[in-house]
């Protein structure tokens, strides 16, 4: 597979990524990223995210990391790896961001723990509310009247600023010509509460980041149910594979293909660097297909995370069947937990007594079908790679 070296990684305002990279002379199984952007770090933001062990029991929180993982869905994680999901509701509620404050240096300094691509995500409502007040006390706002502050906070290019200002004045009882510098602490709190109302705080669903109860408790019925749903994720995988080669593959310099970076954005909160500069994207591709088809992924960029199946989101199979997920591990095999080390993961297309055909990403530098032996050995007879797990998503 082609080994690539990144020249630059840029994130656009819409949350997508653009990557420029050049080819390296040495072939490899991974895409090379010599430089990783600050928004896509090379290590897990919470240690337990990158471990096979479950986090300690108990309620989650306080949260230290958050990211948008699907449409109207935000995943929060605490320092021990416990997490919860906010789904639906208003954007301000999902992000615990009552003022819909944009992401950036200010929000990070005000306590933000992530963003949804455009707006900051705060660990709790109190921190988000305090951020509104802190923003209004900055030099950009403090010397403005309430009316002028609203027109800056909610500009006419994006809002009906006049109506916003009138509603804020009516709900707070503070005249629009009042300078913010004259407001008292309780008046700032009142302004923040009313901004939260005007921005449209609407609660949605808070749930665990885990599959719901299975429809059946028998293994055969569970596998049958999962098999019937393979079209969900296989349609996505085949759609990606059907793209022109230029769109689904790693590009040589000076091109840039943000599609692979988008797989990572959906898949996980970080890149996984092997030896400091190599990044596999097979797991990112499989996770992308699962998540965008409405099924749970692993929230991890490595193939071994499917072997872990920490959330109970996969059902083990005795053998590969079309549409199932196949996990291949490379030597060494000494660690039974597989805490680290290389591997590969893809979707099963077909299988024989000696081979498995996978549709996957990072297969010869692209999304394609490839045939893999069930077990590979070197000249001395030592096993260098083997399939160690076949599984299906748990269908709720």
């Amino acid at each position: 597979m082609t080994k690539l070296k990144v020249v630059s990684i840029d994130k656009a305002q819409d949350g997508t990524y653009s990557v420029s990279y050049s080819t390296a002379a040495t072939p490899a199984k991974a895409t090379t990223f010599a430089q990783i952007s600050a928004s896509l770090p090379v290590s897990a933001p919470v240690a337990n995210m990158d471990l096979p062990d479950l986090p300690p029991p108990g309620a989650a929180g306080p949260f230290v990391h958050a990211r948008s993982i699907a449409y109207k869905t935000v995943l929060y994680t605490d320092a021990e790896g416990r997490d919860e999901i906010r789904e639906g509701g208003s954007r301000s509620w999902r992000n615990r961001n009552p003022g819909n404050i944009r992401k950036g240096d200010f929000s990070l300094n005000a306590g933000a723990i992530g963003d949804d691509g455009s707006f900051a995500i705060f660990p709790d409502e109190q921190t988000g509310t305090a951020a509104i007040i802190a923003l209004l006390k900055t030099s950009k706002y403090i010397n403005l009247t309430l009316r002028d502050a609203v027109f800056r906070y909610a500009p006419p290019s994006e809002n009906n600023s006049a109506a916003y200002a009138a509603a804020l004045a009516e709900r707070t009882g503070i005249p629009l010509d009042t300078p913010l510098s004259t407001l008292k602490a309780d008046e700032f709190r009142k302004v923040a509460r009313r901004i939260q109302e005007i921005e449209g705080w609407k609660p949605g669903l808070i749930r665990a980041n885990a599959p719901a109860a299975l429809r059946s408790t028998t293994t055969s019925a569970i596998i049958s149910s999962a098999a019937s749903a393979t079209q969900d994720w296989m349609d996505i995988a085949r759609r990606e594979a059907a793209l022109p080669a230029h769109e689904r593959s790693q590009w040589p310099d000076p091109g840039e293909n943000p599609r692979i970076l988008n797989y990572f954005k959906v898949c996980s909160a970080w890149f996984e660097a092997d030896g400091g500069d190599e990044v596999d994207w097979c797991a990112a591709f499989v996770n992308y297909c699962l998540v965008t088809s409405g099924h749970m992924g692993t929230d991890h960029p490595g193939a071994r995370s499917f072997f872990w199946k920490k959330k109970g989101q996969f059902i083990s199979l005795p053998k590969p069947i079309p549409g199932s997920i196949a996990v291949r591990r490379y030597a060494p095999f000494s660690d039974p937990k597989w805490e680290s080390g290389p591997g590969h993961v893809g979707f099963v297309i077909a299988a024989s007594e000696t081979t498995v055909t996978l549709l996957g990403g990072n297969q010869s530098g692209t999304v394609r079908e490839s045939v893999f032996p069930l077990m590979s050995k070197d000249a001395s007879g030592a096993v260098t790679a083997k399939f160690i797990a076949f599984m299906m998503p748990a269908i709720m």
Side-chain angles (χ1 to χ4, degrees):
M1 298 182 186
T2 305
K3 189 174 185 179
L4 302 180
K5 181 170 291 184
V6 160
V7 176
S8 64
I9 300 178
D10 301 301
K11 189 173 183 180
Q13 292 182 349
D14 63 1
T16 60
Y17 295 87
S18 178
V19 188
S20 298
Y21 42 91
S22 61
T23 56
T26 306
K29 294 180 294 183
T31 301
T32 299
F33 294 92
Q35 298 176 351
I36 303 295
S37 72
S39 60
L40 292 168
V42 296
S43 60
V46 174
N48 182 267
M49 288 181 171
D50 197 22
L51 294 173
D53 302 315
L54 291 173
F63 298 109
V64 299
H65 183 267
R67 54 186 281 264
S68 176
I69 60 170
Y71 179 64
K72 291 189 175 182
T73 307
V74 175
L75 173 64
Y76 289 83
T77 307
D78 71 10
E80 300 296 330
R82 295 176 294 243
D83 49 29
E84 74 174 29
I85 283 177
R86 283 200 166 199
E87 190 173 57
S90 64
R91 191 175 204 169
S92 59
W93 175 82
R94 290 193 302 276
N95 293 345
R96 291 180 163 97
N97 183 353
N100 278 327
I101 293 173
R102 294 274 182 178
K103 67 174 185 176
D105 290 342
F106 171 81
S107 63
L108 290 173
N109 290 331
I113 57 173
D115 65 74
D116 67 1
S118 298
F119 293 87
I121 302 175
F122 291 100
D124 50 60
E125 182 182 344
Q126 292 73 24
T127 304
T129 300
I132 300 174
I133 297 172
L135 181 61
L136 295 179
K137 290 184 176 181
T138 62
S139 59
K140 290 184 177 181
Y141 286 91
I142 194 64
N143 294 316
L144 301 178
T145 63
L146 183 60
R147 175 188 289 105
D148 291 342
V150 169
F151 272 70
R152 172 167 289 181
Y153 189 94
S157 60
E158 302 175 1
N159 303 270
N160 184 338
S161 303
Y164 196 124
L168 189 58
E170 179 181 358
R171 298 184 190 189
T172 61
I174 301 172
L176 286 174
D177 59 358
T178 304
L180 295 189
S181 60
T182 66
L183 296 184
K184 298 178 180 179
D186 63 329
E187 290 175 312
F188 272 111
R189 288 192 291 268
K190 185 184 295 184
V191 169
R193 287 196 299 272
R194 301 316 176 200
I195 285 177
Q196 176 177 354
E197 294 175 0
I198 296 170
E199 289 289 334
W201 183 273
K202 180 182 178 182
L205 173 68
I206 298 176
R207 63 176 175 85
N209 182 32
L214 294 172
R215 293 172 182 167
S216 176
T217 57
T218 65
T219 301
S220 60
I222 291 171
I223 292 175
S224 176
S225 178
S228 67
T230 58
Q231 185 174 343
D232 294 350
W233 53 87
M234 292 303 294
D235 280 352
I236 303 294
R238 291 191 178 99
R239 182 197 68 193
E240 296 295 301
L243 291 169
H246 184 68
E247 294 183 29
R248 57 180 162 83
S249 306
Q250 302 163 175
W251 297 352
D253 184 55
E256 49 183 41
N257 185 356
R259 199 169 198 94
I260 295 173
L261 266 292
N262 190 52
Y263 295 157
F264 277 99
K265 179 176 179 290
V266 172
C267 155
S268 176
W270 78 100
F271 279 98
E272 182 166 73
D274 179 12
D277 66 351
E278 290 185 349
V279 178
D280 290 314
W281 54 278
C282 58
F285 174 77
V286 172
N287 272 313
Y288 172 84
C289 295
L290 292 174
V291 172
T292 54
S293 63
H295 299 277
M296 279 192 71
T298 65
D299 298 320
H300 190 285
R304 64 188 182 280
S305 63
F306 288 86
F307 174 75
W308 298 344
K309 52 181 181 180
K310 290 170 67 171
K311 302 291 184 181
Q313 70 271 54
F314 303 114
I315 304 299
S316 295
L317 303 177
K319 61 182 180 179
I321 62 175
S324 64
I325 299 165
V327 183
R328 195 168 193 248
R329 184 176 180 180
Y330 299 105
F333 307 104
S334 55
D335 176 14
K337 288 187 175 182
W338 194 5
E339 289 194 14
S340 62
H344 186 71
V345 62
F347 296 111
V348 175
I349 296 297
S352 69
E353 292 184 358
T354 58
T355 65
V356 179
T357 301
L358 299 182
L359 171 55
N362 199 31
Q363 296 183 175
S364 299
T366 189
V367 177
R368 56 167 288 178
E369 291 184 16
S370 300
V371 179
F372 296 86
L374 278 173
M375 181 179 294
S376 299
K377 297 181 180 181
D378 62 19
S380 69
V383 176
T384 58
K386 61 182 178 180
F387 283 94
I388 62 169
F390 302 100
M391 60 192 67
M392 281 284 194
I395 305 300
M396 283 70 76

